[in-house]
């Protein structure tokens, strides 16, 4: 008979071999294990920093959910009517995808640890509470009767009989929770965090540093496995009367190590429209040089994660965000009370990237990748006017470049010549860029503007903000090298293989930045009219 | 008289288990209850132990009561010693166990014992409680015949010191060996009492065969 450990090793080896074999097909999408290990060793400091955050979030969610589950299960047990009701409620809650709760919770509690811990805790609460609650019913009636005959008090029956009999079920609940906690925390990190392995995973993917993404995934997997094993150890430990000191110490230590989230005391937050890229360098530079602060606007810049910045501003979670004027019009059309308080790029950047060297007519019968349904609306309107008939529209979410490289689409919509095209070029992919203005879209469409809520504190300081913003743009253009360094220091994950193309990208971005904060009313109205004509916004 | 059962009745899901059942337990007697399964023998013991309430009638207890149920009632995570001392521990008392017959088993856990050994341990604990009225529900069902005879004899001797015992069993031979009186419970709650002198085996056999049909 093969020993269990041998079998396990063999399976792991087989897995690695399969991985290696598969990765030879397209190493960009699936880097081989060696690439991943290399990425991990190159970025070990970055990974360990984010890993620490995730680990402490996992530990804290467990502690939090335990501290709620135990009293809850006891209440359910001691009040059977309520207990049955809560159990039913929990079964409903189990069917509810808590994963989907994360983006909404951000609106209620804002960004930061709470946005991660609350959904995670809710997710873990179910197996823990139900495990303990059912466990409390597990004691044999004859044993309870025996104690009643001995005139034992209710408390004695509880501690001598019911608690010990509840442990196996409680621990199987705990084991499930410990297996879930990785997923639970990841869900939150994708939405409401600027740190942690989930965040690193997204960032690495956006930066097309796929090996780093896989490395983060592997670390996350190891954590989940570790927690699961700890669960099994505790279970076996208690049930078989082993010493638990060491495990408890590890858990308590990790709990204590949880760094208090460093909430900034800066009152104004500005959310970027996307993963940090050279378009944002003036903002980052201005923030670091204090151009905003010296004009009475202490500003903190945030990355959006997978969140929609306009919604974040509308909900008041964020003071301002970077957005595309067209999106702002659409949001206002939908009832958002937003106002443009600054300009970053006034021209039109948005366009199509097509594989290889192509012309407009080549788009007929091709597959067009779009980031979202709403983006495809504009694109369809433009194509209709230009008489282009593509074979299909593919919604890609955020993975437009991967889709292009892996040949899932022939062209992608919604990309910038100074960002995505440069990035693809650095990977050796030749593409043709076509600006949307070539299809009749206004040339001056204010691609990147800063938006705030109408009547907000920041809106009232719009004039000072514009001065600070223009100063940031002018100074970063005047000191391109210094500004780029500041940007790299702010986003450590940029160091590594993304630096080179971003440097090129920054060179291409500088000429695109606006020279004035004045919005040209003619261009503004022209865009508004065009959007109305295309049926993208209503005629109000 | 240690226990006076005065005309108690008990129904379970519309079925009559006990119908105006009366019995007095005097000191130094072993009363055996015989009868087919499902006839209410265990229920009677549970009522006497105070775990169930009779729907009618009255139970007057003048002595303290110890109850030994049919199920395994040893806590699996405690040693035999801890299990035996459990009723005393709850009252914050202790005792020496060195005189018991099961000394070699004291430091083992219940799952290291056979079913028969576990019943022996439970029986020892039961005697150690030192109560006036002993209620035993099929206490030796898993114990092999030789040991069972010894344990029955111990029960008999123990009762001589002024206790009364009520033993539920389905084992005819056991009943004859230990009983001072035998109560035969039949379905529907009717009872037959073979009092004072243990009846001849054949009489009992006849009575039983009629109530098992």
């Amino acid at each position: 008979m093969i020993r269990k450990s041998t079998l396990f090793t063999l399976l792991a080896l087989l897995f690695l071999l399969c991985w290696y074999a598969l990765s030879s097909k397209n190493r960009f999408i699936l880097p081989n294990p060696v690439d991943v290990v290399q990425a991990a060793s190159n970025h070990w400091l970055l990974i360990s920093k984010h890993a620490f955050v995730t680990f402490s979030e996992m530990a804290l969610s467990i502690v939090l959910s335990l501290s709620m589950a135990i009293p809850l299960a006891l209440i359910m047990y001691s009040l059977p009517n309520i207990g049955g009701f809560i159990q039913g409620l929990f079964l409903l809650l189990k069917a509810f995808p808590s994963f989907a709760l994360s983006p909404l919770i951000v609106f209620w509690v804002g960004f930061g640890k709470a946005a991660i811990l609350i959904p995670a805790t809710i997710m873990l609460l179910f197996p823990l509470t139900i495990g303990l609650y059912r466990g409390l019913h597990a004691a044999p009636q004859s044993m309870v009767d025996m104690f009643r005959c001995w005139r034992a008090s209710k408390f004695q029956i509880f501690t001598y009989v019911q608690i010990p009999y509840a442990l196996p079920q409680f621990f199987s609940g705990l084991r499930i929770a410990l297996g879930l906690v990785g997923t639970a925390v990841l869900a939150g990190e994708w939405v409401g965090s600027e740190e942690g392995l989930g965040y690193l995973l997204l960032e690495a993917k956006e930066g097309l540093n796929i090996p780093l993404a896989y490395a983060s995934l592997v670390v996350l997997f190891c954590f989940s496995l570790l927690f699961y094993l700890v669960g099994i150890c505790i279970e076996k430990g208690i049930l078989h009367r082993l010493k638990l000191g060491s495990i408890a110490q590890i858990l308590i230590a990790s709990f204590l190590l949880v760094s208090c989230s460093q909430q900034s005391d800066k009152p104004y937050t500005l959310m970027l429209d996307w993963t940090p890229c050279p378009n944002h360098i003036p903002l980052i530079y201005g923030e670091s040089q204090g151009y905003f602060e010296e004009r009475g606007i202490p500003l903190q810049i945030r990355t959006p994660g997978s969140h929609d910045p306009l919604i974040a501003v509308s909900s008041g979670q964020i003071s301002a965000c970077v957005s595309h004027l067209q999106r702002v019009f659409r949001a206002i059309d939908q009832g958002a009370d937003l106002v443009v308080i600054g300009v970053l790029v006034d021209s039109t950047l948005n366009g199509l990237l097509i594989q290889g060297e192509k012309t407009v007519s080549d788009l007929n019968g091709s597959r067009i990748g779009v980031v979202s349904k709403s983006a495809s609306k504009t694109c369809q309107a433009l194509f209709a006017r230009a008489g282009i008939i593509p074979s299909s529209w593919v919604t890609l979410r955020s993975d437009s470049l991967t889709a292009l490289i892996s040949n899932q689409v022939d062209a992608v919509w919604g990309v910038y010549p100074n960002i995505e095209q440069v990035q693809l070029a650095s990977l050796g992919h030749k593409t043709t860029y076509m600006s949307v203005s070539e299809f009749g879209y206004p040339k001056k469409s204010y691609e990147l503007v800063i938006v705030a809520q109408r009547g907000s504190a920041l809106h009232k300081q719009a004039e000072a903000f514009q001065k600070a913003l223009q100063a940031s743009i002018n100074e970063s253009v005047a000191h391109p090298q210094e500004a780029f360094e500041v940007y790299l220091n702010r986003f450590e994950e940029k160091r590594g293989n993304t630096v080179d193309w971003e440097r090129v990208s920054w060179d291409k971005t500088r000429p695109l930045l606006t020279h004035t904060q004045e919005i040209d009313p003619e261009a503004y109205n022209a865009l508004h009219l065009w959007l109305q004509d295309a049926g993208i916004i209503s005629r109000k | 008289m240690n226990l006076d059962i005065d005309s108690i009745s008990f129904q379970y899901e519309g079925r009559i288990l006990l119908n105006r059942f009366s019995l007095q337990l005097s000191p130094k007697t072993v009363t055996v209850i015989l009868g087919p399964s499902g006839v209410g023998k265990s229920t009677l013991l549970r009522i006497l132990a105070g775990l169930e309430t009779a729907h009618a009638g009255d139970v007057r207890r003048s002595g303290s009561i110890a109850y030994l149920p049919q199920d395994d009632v040893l806590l699996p995570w405690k040693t035999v010693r801890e299990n035996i001392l459990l009723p005393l521990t709850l009252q914050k008392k202790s005792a020496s166990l060195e005189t018991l017959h099961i000394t070699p088993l004291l430091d083992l856990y219940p799952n290291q014992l056979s079913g028969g050994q576990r019943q022996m341990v439970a029986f020892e604990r039961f005697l150690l409680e030192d109560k006036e009225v002993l209620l035993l529900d099929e206490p030796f069902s898993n114990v092999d015949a030789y040991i069972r005879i010894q344990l029955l004899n111990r029960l008999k001797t123990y009762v001589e010191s002024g206790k009364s015992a009520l033993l539920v069993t389905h084992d005819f031979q056991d009943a004859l060996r230990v009983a001072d009186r035998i109560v035969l419970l039949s379905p529907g709650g009717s009872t037959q009492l073979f009092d004072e002198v243990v009846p001849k085996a054949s009489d009992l056999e006849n009575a039983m065969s009629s109530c098992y049909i």
Side-chain angles (χ1 to χ4, degrees):
Chain A
M1 209 178 100
I2 309 172
R3 280 180 53 197
K4 236 182 176 176
S5 55
T6 323
L7 193 71
F8 184 77
T9 317
L10 278 173
L11 275 174
L13 275 174
L14 190 72
F15 171 74
L16 284 176
L17 265 174
C18 289
W19 180 358
Y20 200 90
L22 279 171
S23 66
S24 63
K25 251 184 120 179
N26 190 340
R27 205 159 151 192
F28 174 71
I29 299 173
L30 182 62
N32 69 36
V34 182
D35 295 337
V36 173
V37 171
Q38 226 160 35
S41 68
N42 288 343
H43 299 280
W44 73 269
L45 211 77
L46 184 70
I47 292 180
S48 52
K49 181 188 128 195
H50 289 287
F52 174 76
V53 172
T54 299
F55 186 84
S56 36
E57 285 164 359
M58 286 166 85
L60 198 58
S61 327
I62 287 286
V63 173
L64 275 176
S65 49
L66 268 178
S67 60
M68 287 167 73
I70 294 172
L72 193 59
L74 293 180
I75 290 170
M76 285 165 71
Y77 180 74
S78 47
L79 306 168
N81 292 332
I82 297 178
F85 174 73
I86 298 182
Q87 194 184 10
L89 210 68
F90 265 41
L91 285 168
L92 276 177
L93 196 71
K94 191 187 174 195
F96 185 82
S98 332
F99 201 89
L101 209 62
S102 302
L104 300 175
I105 281 183
V106 170
F107 289 143
W108 306 331
V109 300
F111 295 89
K113 287 273 180 275
I116 296 163
L117 294 177
I118 291 176
T121 305
I122 292 175
M123 216 161 154
L124 304 182
L125 202 57
F126 173 77
L128 289 174
T129 312
I130 295 299
L132 183 55
Y133 176 66
R134 290 197 178 147
L136 286 172
H137 290 93
Q141 188 56 42
S142 57
M143 199 66 84
V144 176
D145 286 347
M146 199 71 249
F147 273 73
R148 281 170 62 197
C149 287
W150 292 334
R151 306 268 173 272
S153 66
K154 275 195 165 167
F155 181 73
Q156 282 175 324
I157 295 178
F158 197 67
T159 51
Y160 275 88
V161 185
Q162 290 180 302
I163 291 280
Y165 271 107
L167 288 180
Q169 295 224 33
F170 171 68
F171 282 124
S172 66
L174 181 64
R175 218 175 50 208
I176 294 171
L178 287 169
L180 269 178
V181 62
T183 321
V185 164
L186 194 73
E189 282 184 353
W190 278 358
V191 178
S193 177
E194 287 190 27
E195 45 186 6
L197 289 171
Y199 167 79
L200 184 64
L201 184 75
L202 278 188
E203 287 303 302
K205 196 192 66 176
E206 295 299 339
L208 292 184
N209 189 348
I210 308 296
L212 179 60
Y214 276 90
S216 338
L217 200 65
V218 169
V219 176
L220 196 70
F221 167 74
C222 291
F223 280 175
S224 288
L225 196 67
L226 179 77
F227 271 73
Y228 186 73
L229 290 177
V230 166
I232 291 178
C233 286
I234 296 177
E235 189 175 352
K236 286 199 169 157
I238 287 191
L239 298 181
H240 297 143
R241 320 180 126 248
L242 290 177
K243 283 200 172 175
L244 284 162
S246 48
I247 295 165
Q249 272 166 15
I250 293 171
L251 280 180
I252 291 167
S254 52
F255 172 56
L256 291 178
L257 277 171
V258 169
S259 50
C260 301
S261 66
Q262 294 152 357
Q263 288 293 347
S264 168
D265 49 358
K266 291 189 177 175
Y268 294 112
T269 42
L270 188 146
M271 185 182 268
L272 302 179
D273 56 324
W274 202 242
T275 309
C277 68
N279 281 338
H280 307 128
I281 289 180
L283 291 169
I284 308 291
Y285 188 63
E287 178 202 29
S288 79
Q289 301 300 307
Y291 295 146
F292 294 94
E293 202 150 8
E294 68 195 24
R295 285 172 176 83
I297 307 168
L299 194 69
Q300 196 204 7
I301 291 174
R302 284 184 162 281
T303 54
S306 60
H307 207 73
D308 192 316
L310 281 181
I311 297 175
V313 170
S314 302
S315 69
Q317 292 292 340
I318 290 288
S319 325
C321 73
V322 180
S323 191
H324 178 192
L325 186 56
Q326 187 202 331
R327 289 208 72 217
V328 181
F329 276 144
R330 285 216 313 267
I332 292 171
D333 191 43
Q334 297 293 323
D337 203 8
L338 299 171
V339 61
V340 174
I341 58 161
V343 182
L344 196 58
V345 173
D346 51 10
S347 56
T348 298
L349 294 186
N350 197 9
L352 269 168
L353 274 187
I354 313 164
Q355 297 246 35
E357 286 175 41
K358 298 280 163 59
T359 60
V360 174
S361 58
D362 292 327
L363 289 170
N364 277 315
S366 62
R367 298 161 300 167
I368 311 290
V370 285
V371 179
S372 62
K373 278 256 156 67
S374 62
S376 76
K377 230 174 151 185
T378 317
C379 186
Q380 280 170 8
L382 287 168
F383 276 18
R385 289 170 182 210
I388 297 162
I389 306 160
S391 71
S392 60
W393 299 90
V394 186
T395 307
L396 299 170
R397 305 262 165 259
S398 56
D399 270 329
S400 49
L401 295 194
T402 318
L404 196 65
I405 292 169
S406 60
N407 231 348
Q408 290 169 38
V409 291
D410 304 305
V412 286
W413 170 269
V415 289
Y416 293 164
N418 60 326
I419 307 291
E420 282 89 348
Q421 194 179 23
V422 177
Q423 197 176 356
L424 282 177
S426 78
L427 292 165
H429 285 267
K430 250 208 158 128
T431 51
T432 309
Y433 167 75
M434 286 175 203
S435 167
V436 287
S437 54
E438 288 181 41
F439 301 92
Y441 194 78
K443 277 200 169 63
K444 197 171 185 182
S445 72
Y446 293 93
E447 191 70 50
L448 297 172
V449 291
I450 316 296
V451 188
Q453 226 174 351
R454 189 178 291 279
S456 66
L458 193 57
H459 180 208
K460 288 174 186 148
Q461 287 182 272
E463 208 173 312
F465 181 84
Q466 285 171 4
K467 280 187 179 143
L469 179 58
Q470 195 57 50
S472 305
I473 293 171
N474 296 344
E475 288 305 310
S476 63
V477 171
H479 309 283
Q481 201 50 44
E482 196 189 328
F484 192 69
E485 276 306 312
V486 167
Y487 167 70
L488 288 186
N489 287 336
R490 176 72 156 77
F491 303 104
E492 286 170 67
E493 63 273 17
K494 298 287 182 192
R495 297 205 183 270
N497 51 5
T498 70
V499 174
D500 293 336
W501 76 259
E502 295 215 30
R503 205 183 290 278
V504 178
S505 166
W506 174 224
D507 291 340
K508 293 208 170 197
T509 304
R510 287 199 302 279
L512 302 169
L513 298 168
T514 189
H515 299 291
T516 169
Q517 292 295 312
E518 302 264 322
I519 289 181
D520 175 7
E522 229 168 88
Y524 189 89
N525 288 333
L527 178 66
H528 199 248
L529 273 175
W530 190 92
L531 292 172
Q532 282 186 340
D533 281 347
I536 290 165
I537 59 172
S538 61
R539 291 178 186 278
K540 273 186 214 162
Chain B
M1 199 188 301
N2 283 331
L3 189 74
D4 182 5
I5 306 164
D6 185 5
S7 160
I8 59 169
S9 299
F10 191 86
Q11 295 184 6
Y12 182 71
E13 289 178 352
R15 203 157 54 92
I16 297 168
L17 291 181
L18 298 169
N19 187 16
R20 295 172 169 276
F21 178 85
S22 294
L23 187 71
Q24 283 80 39
L25 298 185
S26 335
K28 300 189 185 184
T29 55
V30 175
T31 308
V32 170
I33 299 190
L34 277 173
S37 43
V39 84
K41 305 191 294 288
S42 295
T43 307
L44 172 63
L45 253 57
R46 287 176 61 77
I47 292 170
L48 300 183
L51 297 170
E52 306 270 2
T53 314
H55 298 145
D58 196 16
V59 179
R60 281 182 287 275
R61 306 170 180 87
S62 54
S64 53
I65 291 176
Y67 170 58
L68 181 59
Q70 187 168 8
D71 311 274
D72 191 352
V73 280
L74 302 179
L75 293 174
W77 54 88
K78 290 196 177 290
T79 60
V80 168
R81 182 192 305 279
E82 290 166 330
N83 265 297
I84 290 182
L85 288 174
L86 208 48
L88 295 174
T89 314
L90 293 174
Q91 315 294 333
K92 306 211 172 0
K93 291 179 201 159
S94 86
S96 164
L97 303 181
E98 305 315 318
T99 55
L100 296 183
H101 299 268
I102 49 161
T103 330
L105 305 181
L106 284 179
D107 293 314
L108 299 178
Y109 284 94
N111 61 1
Q112 294 168 295
L113 308 180
S114 70
Q117 282 174 320
R118 283 205 286 275
Q119 285 191 332
M120 280 166 67
V121 170
F123 181 65
E124 292 294 346
R125 174 170 73 188
F126 174 73
L127 293 188
L128 202 72
E129 285 185 59
D130 195 28
K131 296 291 165 70
E132 307 302 318
V133 181
L134 312 179
L135 308 171
L136 303 91
D137 193 353
E138 307 261 13
F140 309 130
S141 51
N142 291 320
V143 182
D144 65 58
Y146 171 71
I147 305 273
R148 195 159 71 220
I149 292 167
Q150 288 192 326
L151 293 178
L152 286 170
N153 288 339
R154 275 196 65 205
L155 178 66
K156 187 93 179 148
T157 331
Y158 187 74
V159 166
E160 295 300 319
S161 66
K163 319 282 186 186
S164 22
L166 187 60
L167 172 72
V168 164
T169 181
H170 62 269
D171 191 302
F172 188 63
Q173 295 300 332
D174 282 3
L176 287 176
R177 183 177 299 280
V178 75
D180 295 307
R181 301 187 300 172
I182 292 176
V183 177
L184 187 57
L185 273 185
S186 311
S190 64
T191 51
Q192 276 175 280
L193 183 62
F194 297 87
D195 211 352
E196 300 306 329
V197 187
V198 173
K200 279 182 189 165
S202 55
D203 290 353
L204 189 58
E205 231 171 318
N206 286 337
M208 281 183 78
S209 64
S210 64
C211 88
Y212 271 82
I213 288 163

